[in-house]
Amino acid sequence: MLRTAVRNVLAHRARLLMTVLAVMLGVAFVSGTLVFTETVSSATRTSAQKGLVTSDVVLRPHRAGSAKIPGDAPDLPQSLLDSVTKAPGVASAKGSVSGFVAVADKRGKLVSKGANSRGANHAAGDSGKDPRYSVTSGRLPRADDEVALDSRTADRAGYKVGDVVRLSAFGPVLEQRISGVFDTDDAGVAAGGSLVLFDTPAAQELYASADHYNEIAVTAASGVTQAELKSALTPLLPKEAEAVTGKKLAEDEGKRIAQSTDGMTAGMLAFAGISLFVSAFIIANTFTMLIGQRTRDLALLRAVGATRRQVTRSVLLEALMVGGIAGALGLPAGIGIGAALRAVAGSMGGMPEGPLVVPTHAMVIGLVLALVVTTLSAWLPGRRAAKIPPIAALNSAQAAVPARTLLVRNIIGALFTVAGALCAVSGERVLLGVGAGLLVIGVFVLTPLLARPVIALSAPVLRLFGMPGKLARENAVRSPRRTAATASALMVGLTLITGLTVIANGVQQAIDKMAADSLKADFVVLMANMNDLSPEVGKKIAAHPGVEASSRLSPTAVRIGDRDERVIGVDGSSIGKLISVDFVSGSFSGLRGENAVVDKDTAKKHGWSHGSAVNLIYPDGEQGTLKISGVYAGNQMIQGIMVDDATIAPHVPEAVDSQVMVKTKDGDSAAVENRLYEDLGSNPALMIQTKSDISREVGKAISVMLNILYGLLAMAVIIAVLGVVNTLALSVTERRREIGMLRAIGVSRSGVQRMIRLEAVVISLFGGLLGVGLGVFFGWAVGEQIGEAMPTYALALPWDRLALFLLLSAVIGFLAALWPARSAARTPVLEAIKAG
C-alpha cells in the first residue's frame, strides 16, 4: 500500500500541487509568525537589557515611573550618591534623571509622540564620554542651554550641531542649542521615539530637583557579588527607596517584554490558524474529488483483496506525503515571511535592530501542523474510499454519496441554526455570543443545502450568456458538497473581514456621536504624551481674552470607605458650558462648595443617590464630606465624581491637570486654534484638539487596526483562491469527456472558457454572499454587547465596503478560473471523448 500511495502522489502531481501550496502557505504563516515574534522579543530584550548589564545594583524610589509627579516618593539626594560611592564593595555609582520631553522640528511640529520621547542626563565625567552613547558629531552637553539629540531624531527633524531646537518637558518651552548628535541602543528610540541628553543640573531641574536623582546605578568592585552589594547598600537607603540587583532587573525586563509580545503572538497565530483551517477545506475537497475520480482503481484494489483499512491507510499515506512536502517547503518560506515582517517593522521604526532568530520550536510546530492538518483533512475522504464496493470496478462511474449522509448533515445544521437564532434573539448577553457561534456553524454545515436555491438566483443573469451560462449554473449545483467546500473556504475569510468592518464602523460612528453630544467645548488642551499638564496652562487659558469659558480637569485620588476613588476638580461655574450630559437627577448648577455630581454607574456601585452624604479622606489626610447634588449618565469620555476645584485645592498644594476644556468667542476654527497655540508659547508638548480631531484620532487608530487585520486575513483569502483554482482544475479533469462532447457538438473554445469562468464566479459569489451575511450577523451580535458599555453604539452597515467585498468575491472567482478554463478549452476533442 505504501508503493501504491507513492505512485498515486506521483501520478497526480499537477492535481496535488495546489493542495501542497495551500498547506505550505498556512505553515509558512505559522512559522513566520513565530520567527518574527521571537526576533522582536530577542532584539527588544537585548536592547533594553544593555543598559542594565553594567549596573550590578540599582537604587530607586518606591514608585512606578520616573516623571516628577506630585504624590510620588521623593527622589534620591546627592548625599545618598556620595555615601554609596564611598561604601565598601562599590567600584562606581552614577545618578540619573529622566522623563518626558517633546521635541519640535523646524516647522514647530512634534517629532514623536508618547512615552518614548524622553529626556535624560548623561554621565560623561572628566573624559567627556559616556559608554552608553556614541557621539557621531559634536560633543555631549556641558551647560544648561545645551542638549544632544539621538541621530534618528536629528535626521527626522533635519537638525545638525549648532542648530537651536525647541523643547518642552513639564513646563515652559526651552530653546536649546544642539551640542552633539549620538547613536544609542535605547529601545524607545528604536521604536520611533526620541532621546534628548541634558547636562545633569539641567536634567535635575526638569525631572527632579537640585542635587536629586530618579535612580542611582551602582557597579560592584571586583570579587563582590550583586547580592552582597545589595545587602551592603540596603542600610544606607531611606525608607522610601529600594535596592534591586541588575540580574533581577534583567529578569523583570525579560518577563515584561515576553508579556508584551504574548498578545501579538497569540493574535497572529490566531490568523495563522484561520489560514490552516481554510487549507483543511482545500485538502478535504481535493482528496474527495481525487477519490471520486479513482473509484475504479480503488474498487480494483478491493477486488484483488485489499481490506477497507488498507485502502484508508493508502489515502492517509498520500496525505502524509503531501503534508511532509508542504511542511518542508513551508519552513524556509516561513523564515522568509519572518524576515519580511522584521524588515517592514524596522522601516516603520517599530523595533530595535537585531539578528533574525529562527527558534527550533517554529520549525517543529510548522512541520507537525502540516502533517496533522493534511492527515485529519484526508481522514473522512479515506473512509469514504474504503466503503467503495468491489463491484464499482466494472464501470467508471463515481460512487454516489448516500442521500442519508446529506440528510443527517442537514438535520444537524438546522438544529445548530435554530439554536443559534434562539440564543441570539433571547437578549441575554452571554447567550448572544453563543448564539452567534452556533448560527455560524449551522450555516456552515447547511452550505450544501443552501447552494442550489442561492445559486438559482443567478439564473436570470446567467441566461444573458446563453448556453455557457446555463451550463455554468448546472455545473455549480451538480455537486453540492464540492460547491459548498469551495465556497466555504472563501466564506470563512469574508465572514471575519465583514464582521470586523461592521464593528469598526459602528464604533467610529459611536465615537463621533459621543464627541458631538458630550462636548460643548471648542477645544481640549492636553499633553502630547497624555501625561499631566502644568497648572500654568490652565491659568493662561483662563486669562486669555478670546476665551469665553474654560475648566481645568484635575484628577485627585481620595479614600472613600475602603476604596480608592478618583475625584475630578472642575470649574463649577463653567463646566456646564463645556460638557453636556444627561442628568438622572440634579444638574451642574449647584456644583460649588461641598456639592458633587457623579455618574450613575459609580453611584450605583456605592449605593448613592441624589442628596447622599459621602465621607472621604483627602490626599493630605484631612477628612471631608461631599453631598451628591446630581447624578448623570456617563460614557467613555465623561464619567466620575466631579467637584469644584476650589474644594480640592486646599488639600492638594501641587495639583496637576489631565486636560483643559476651552470654549472661545470665535468657535473652533483653525485660525483660533493657531492663535491659542501661539499664545501658549507654541509649546510642542501641548496638543489642542477639536471634537473632530478627537474622532479623527480614534478613526485613525481603527483604520490602522483594520488594515493590519485585513493584511493578516489576506493569507486566508489567498488560500481560498487556491481552493477555487484547485476545485475547478479537478472538476475540469473529472468532466473531460463531457467537455469533449460539448466541443464536438459545436461549442467553441471561448464558450468552454466562458462556462468555466462563470461557474467560478457563481461559486465565489455564493461564498461571498454567505460570508458577508454571516459577517453582518457577527458584527451585530458583538455590537449588541459593545452597546451595553457604549450607549451611542448602533449597528451601522458600511454599504460601500460590503459591495466591495462582493465585487472582490466575483473578481477572485474570475481570476481563479483563468488557468482551469484555458486548460479545458485546450482539451483535444477526440481524446476527451475517448476518456473513460
Side-chain angles (χ1 to χ4, degrees):
M1 298 309 294
L2 177 61
R3 287 195 296 269
T4 301
V6 173
R7 287 173 181 172
N8 282 330
V9 170
L10 295 176
H12 303 100
R13 291 189 296 271
R15 300 181 189 180
L16 293 171
L17 176 62
M18 293 297 176
T19 305
V20 170
L21 188 56
V23 180
M24 184 199 77
L25 287 174
V27 170
F29 201 178
V30 173
S31 302
T33 296
L34 294 172
V35 168
F36 173 66
T37 52
E38 186 65 26
T39 299
V40 171
S41 297
S42 176
T44 307
R45 185 164 51 247
T46 301
S47 177
Q49 292 177 348
K50 274 185 179 179
L52 304 175
V53 172
T54 57
S55 303
D56 291 304
V57 173
V58 172
L59 312 180
R60 63 187 184 185
H62 284 294
R63 66 185 186 195
S66 58
K68 185 175 66 176
I69 299 174
D72 274 343
D75 293 302
L76 306 177
Q78 179 68 41
S79 57
L80 176 61
L81 177 59
D82 295 338
S83 300
V84 168
T85 304
K86 298 173 184 177
V90 174
S92 65
K94 297 178 181 178
S96 63
V97 284
S98 63
F100 170 75
V101 66
V103 183
D105 60 20
K106 292 185 176 181
R107 297 172 299 169
K109 302 296 183 181
L110 195 63
V111 176
S112 59
K113 298 180 182 178
N116 286 332
S117 298
R118 294 191 313 111
N121 71 318
H122 65 86
D126 297 334
S127 65
K129 296 180 180 180
D130 188 322
R132 296 171 296 177
Y133 313 112
S134 175
V135 178
T136 58
S137 62
R139 56 173 174 77
L140 294 176
R142 298 172 183 167
D144 58 6
D145 61 346
E146 294 180 340
V147 294
L149 289 184
D150 71 89
S151 55
R152 297 190 186 192
T153 301
D155 289 342
R156 286 203 307 269
Y159 286 124
K160 61 182 184 299
V161 174
D163 288 344
V164 174
V165 58
R166 292 173 59 82
L167 309 168
S168 179
F170 190 69
V173 177
L174 302 174
E175 292 190 350
Q176 307 284 91
R177 187 166 302 279
I178 299 175
S179 66
V181 176
F182 61 91
D183 287 335
T184 177
D185 294 322
D186 186 274
V189 174
S194 58
L195 179 60
V196 180
L197 295 181
F198 301 86
D199 78 325
T200 297
Q204 289 174 329
E205 184 178 351
L206 289 173
Y207 304 120
S209 56
D211 296 328
H212 281 73
Y213 301 93
N214 299 148
E215 66 178 32
I216 297 173
V218 186
T219 303
S222 178
V224 179
T225 67
Q226 292 186 356
E228 291 172 344
L229 182 60
K230 177 185 174 181
S231 298
L233 296 178
T234 299
L236 302 177
L237 298 179
K239 63 179 181 179
E240 301 88 358
E242 63 178 345
V244 185
T245 63
K247 181 181 178 182
K248 178 68 165 54
L249 286 173
E251 290 175 352
D252 292 345
E253 186 66 18
K255 291 178 182 178
R256 185 191 66 79
I257 292 169
Q259 291 174 353
S260 67
T261 56
D262 281 349
M264 177 179 63
T265 304
M268 293 185 70
L269 286 176
F271 286 99
I274 293 168
S275 298
L276 285 172
F277 182 62
V278 173
S279 299
F281 282 105
I282 299 174
I283 299 165
N285 206 20
T286 300
F287 276 95
T288 298
M289 295 183 70
L290 287 175
I291 288 166
Q293 293 171 16
R294 287 158 45 198
T295 299
R296 172 179 260 185
D297 296 341
L298 294 171
L300 281 172
L301 286 174
R302 294 292 315 282
V304 297
T307 64
R308 287 189 174 187
R309 184 173 297 177
Q310 286 177 315
V311 172
T312 302
R313 194 180 302 146
S314 172
V315 175
L316 293 180
L317 284 172
E318 289 182 45
L320 277 173
M321 282 183 275
V322 170
I325 294 170
L329 295 174
L331 294 178
I335 295 173
I337 289 176
L341 290 172
R342 174 183 172 276
V344 171
S347 65
M348 297 172 61
M351 63 171 288
E353 296 179 359
L356 189 71
V357 179
V358 183
T360 304
H361 65 268
M363 304 176 69
V364 173
I365 291 174
L367 186 58
V368 170
L369 280 175
L371 296 173
V372 170
V373 169
T374 49
T375 304
L376 291 179
S377 302
W379 180 67
L380 280 177
R383 288 194 63 191
R384 293 194 193 106
K387 293 180 181 180
I388 295 174
I391 195 67
L394 299 177
N395 57 64
S396 60
Q398 178 178 347
V401 177
R404 64 181 179 82
T405 59
L406 281 178
L407 178 62
V408 171
R409 175 172 179 159
N410 293 337
I411 291 173
I412 294 173
L415 290 174
F416 271 94
T417 303
V418 172
L422 291 176
C423 290
V425 300
S426 67
E428 294 292 332
R429 182 174 181 179
V430 176
L431 292 179
L432 191 62
V434 175
L438 290 176
L439 190 59
V440 169
I441 294 172
V443 172
F444 170 74
V445 175
L446 288 175
T447 307
L449 180 66
L450 296 172
R452 187 176 294 275
V454 174
I455 292 177
L457 298 175
S458 64
V461 177
L462 292 176
R463 286 196 196 102
L464 300 176
F465 296 92
M467 185 57 67
K470 180 180 179 182
L471 290 173
R473 184 179 65 82
E474 291 177 354
N475 288 334
V477 297
R478 179 187 299 179
S479 176
R481 281 181 180 274
R482 184 176 67 209
T483 298
T486 306
S488 295
L490 189 60
M491 179 191 76
V492 171
L494 283 180
T495 296
L496 293 171
I497 289 174
T498 303
L500 292 170
T501 303
V502 169
I503 294 168
N505 193 60
V507 170
Q508 176 63 66
Q509 294 199 17
I511 295 294
D512 292 344
K513 189 174 188 306
M514 191 184 300
D517 293 349
S518 301
L519 294 179
K520 295 181 183 178
D522 296 315
F523 302 104
V524 175
V525 181
L526 62 164
M527 287 285 284
N529 68 334
M530 304 303 170
N531 274 355
D532 295 320
L533 278 168
S534 168
E536 296 302 318
V537 175
K539 294 176 182 177
K540 285 185 179 180
I541 290 174
H544 194 282
V547 171
E548 185 177 290
S550 69
S551 176
R552 298 158 49 194
L553 272 63
S554 306
T556 300
V558 299
R559 190 75 174 174
I560 299 177
D562 58 350
R563 295 181 179 178
D564 289 325
E565 289 285 353
R566 192 180 70 155
V567 173
I568 304 172
V570 299
D571 186 327
S573 61
S574 300
I575 192 65
K577 302 174 184 178
L578 301 168
I579 62 175
S580 175
V581 294
D582 295 327
F583 273 89
V584 178
S585 61
S587 68
F588 281 127
S589 60
L591 191 58
R592 63 180 63 88
E594 294 184 346
N595 288 342
V597 296
V598 61
D599 68 279
K600 64 180 182 181
D601 289 338
T602 302
K604 182 179 179 180
K605 180 177 69 175
H606 288 280
W608 300 336
S609 60
H610 189 273
S612 295
V614 179
N615 296 319
L616 73 161
I617 301 175
Y618 289 106
D620 60 357
E622 289 193 24
Q623 297 184 357
T625 302
L626 297 177
K627 181 181 179 182
I628 304 300
S629 61
V631 179
Y632 64 92
N635 55 45
Q636 279 70 25
M637 296 183 69
I638 300 172
Q639 58 184 319
I641 307 168
M642 297 186 198
V643 300
D644 189 74
D645 51 15
T647 304
I648 295 180
H651 305 286
V652 187
E654 296 184 35
V656 291
D657 306 328
S658 60
Q659 56 185 263
V660 179
M661 292 185 170
V662 187
K663 189 172 185 61
T664 66
K665 297 174 182 177
D666 298 323
D668 62 354
S669 68
V672 175
E673 180 180 345
N674 290 334
R675 190 162 61 245
L676 184 61
Y677 181 69
E678 290 173 0
D679 291 343
L680 289 174
S682 300
N683 192 329
L686 297 180
M687 187 163 55
I688 302 176
Q689 291 186 322
T690 62
K691 286 182 281 190
S692 59
D693 290 334
I694 295 172
S695 298
R696 197 179 302 115
E697 285 288 327
V698 176
K700 190 185 299 181
I702 292 174
S703 296
V704 170
M705 178 195 70
L706 269 184
N707 290 335
I708 292 172
L709 296 177
Y710 286 163
L712 293 173
L713 286 171
M715 185 67 74
V717 175
I718 290 171
I719 294 174
V721 173
L722 293 176
V724 178
V725 175
N726 212 20
T727 300
L728 288 174
L730 291 169
S731 179
V732 165
T733 303
E734 183 181 287
R735 295 175 352 225
R736 193 178 182 206
R737 184 176 187 181
E738 176 187 318
I739 292 170
M741 292 295 295
L742 289 173
R743 295 277 285 112
I745 62 176
V747 178
S748 64
R749 286 187 174 184
S750 61
V752 171
Q753 287 182 317
R754 191 177 303 119
M755 177 187 72
I756 301 296
R757 286 197 293 261
L758 288 173
E759 178 185 348
V761 169
V762 167
I763 292 175
S764 295
L765 276 174
F766 172 53
L769 281 171
L770 291 181
V772 170
L774 286 174
V776 169
F777 179 82
F778 174 72
W780 167 79
V782 175
E784 287 296 302
Q785 300 190 37
I786 293 175
E788 293 187 11
M790 186 181 289
T792 54
Y793 182 90
L795 181 66
L797 297 181
W799 293 106
D800 54 342
R801 292 204 181 188
L802 299 184
L804 180 63
F805 294 157
L806 290 176
L807 178 62
L808 178 64
S809 301
V811 171
I812 285 173
F814 179 81
L815 295 177
L818 291 179
W819 174 60
R822 187 179 181 187
S823 175
R826 289 185 171 188
T827 302
V829 177
L830 293 179
E831 289 184 16
I833 292 174
K834 288 190 298 181

